[in-house]
Amino acid sequence: MDAKEARGEAPEKPVEDWQKRAPYKIHESNENFKARYEASCHCGRVKYQLSREEPLDSKLCHCTTCQTQHAAPFQWAAIFHKDDINFSNGHHDLEWYDPSSKSIEHKLPCKVRCSFCHSPIMDEGRNMILLFPSLVHLKNDEDKANFKPRCHMFYSQRVMDIPDGLPKWSGLNDSSELIEDSPPELVREHERKREQERKEKHEKEEKGEKDEKK
Ligand SMILES: [Zn+2]
Ligand SMILES: [Zn+2]
């Protein structure tokens, strides 16, 4: 029995490995973490800060997993490094879900939610985190512009059309086809890049064949 138990208080839960690592590791005050944004879940038990001015990317995902997981026609996510976030509350009061294996263990990549109100907090990947701007307190037009979605992905799985002129990828961005009302110059650029890649692959194969014959 530890001292706390002896006083009738709940024993401290053991600190697990993930709690000591980013994104859950608490930044010490001497680390110079500058909070640019504040965010919280619906019940307010989970709170976090962000230090990066602009997310690495911001996109709307129309895949059916996002539709189900967020109970919405599509999901709005912003990508950050794991070191860009500092949980200020409730960061050990979380629950996990891995949509590919349908398990609730903490193994990456997985979905992370508040264990009380079940608001989605983030998708934790192996190297990055996808945060949901709807939880971030965006105070003015500048904040909103920083988080503005830059593309749609898995648009082929959409339940509704969003004719906003943003690039629309049929699957993953940059590795599928640009469809619907994607900006024409971007579509041309994408096709040019694809053609170049095909050519290089072809040349490499030809060179490989020649080398084999030598
Ligand atoms: Zn909550
Ligand atoms: Zn998705």
Side-chain angles (χ1 to χ4, degrees):
M1 192 183 280
D2 70 12
K4 278 202 163 188
E5 267 182 284
R7 289 199 302 270
E9 295 168 29
E12 265 177 54
K13 282 189 221 157
V15 177
E16 290 183 53
D17 254 7
W18 61 266
Q19 300 177 338
K20 295 183 241 167
R21 281 194 304 260
Y24 305 103
K25 154 185 107 92
I26 299 304
H27 293 246
E28 304 295 336
S29 48
N30 60 10
E31 264 180 87
N32 225 344
F33 186 94
K34 252 173 91 191
R36 170 67 176 83
Y37 301 100
E38 307 272 346
S40 51
C41 66
H42 191 268
C43 76
R45 280 173 172 81
V46 178
K47 287 187 166 63
Y48 67 78
Q49 306 168 324
L50 291 171
S51 57
R52 180 174 294 275
E53 171 80 18
E54 249 184 77
L56 303 167
D57 205 355
S58 175
K59 43 200 181 183
L60 301 168
C61 185
H62 296 256
C63 83
T64 48
T65 298
C66 286
Q67 287 176 25
T68 315
Q69 285 288 299
H70 293 259
F74 49 88
Q75 172 233 58
W76 179 20
I79 302 180
F80 284 86
H81 289 300
K82 290 190 176 183
D83 278 325
D84 295 332
I85 191 171
N86 187 40
F87 281 93
S88 48
N89 208 51
H91 47 291
H92 295 162
D93 246 340
L94 299 163
E95 56 182 27
W96 333 109
Y97 181 65
D98 169 5
S100 50
S101 65
K102 300 190 177 167
S103 92
I104 54 169
E105 275 167 65
H106 182 234
K107 58 181 169 78
L108 306 181
C110 69
K111 320 255 335 161
V112 182
R113 290 170 178 270
C114 166
S115 61
F116 191 80
C117 72
H118 309 291
S119 299
I121 303 298
M122 65 179 155
D123 286 357
E124 185 186 2
R126 287 178 190 89
N127 304 307
M128 303 283 174
I129 46 173
L130 271 79
L131 298 169
F132 308 118
S134 315
L135 275 69
V136 182
H137 310 306
L138 302 174
K139 293 190 180 114
N140 48 44
D141 290 348
E142 190 196 336
D143 289 3
K144 283 174 195 156
N146 286 338
F147 278 80
K148 190 183 176 309
R150 300 176 202 165
C151 73
H152 295 259
M153 56 192 243
F154 290 99
Y155 198 65
S156 55
Q157 299 178 19
R158 70 192 178 281
V159 293
M160 59 194 289
D161 291 338
I162 318 284
D164 56 4
L166 284 177
K168 296 184 173 68
W169 299 92
S170 60
L172 266 180
N173 55 312
D174 298 318
S175 56
S176 57
E177 295 304 320
L178 278 162
I179 54 171
E180 304 300 320
D181 69 330
S182 299
E185 65 281 3
L186 208 78
V187 175
R188 277 197 296 274
E189 169 67 19
H190 184 58
E191 279 169 0
R192 204 189 51 75
K193 239 166 75 188
R194 277 285 166 93
E195 186 52 38
Q196 182 67 24
E197 276 166 17
R198 264 196 293 271
K199 244 177 160 171
E200 277 167 18
K201 198 173 160 237
H202 186 70
E203 277 165 17
K204 237 191 202 158
E205 279 168 4
E206 280 209 325
K207 194 174 172 288
E209 274 171 29
K210 266 185 207 155
D211 287 349
E212 261 172 43
K213 277 179 196 155
K214 267 182 200 167

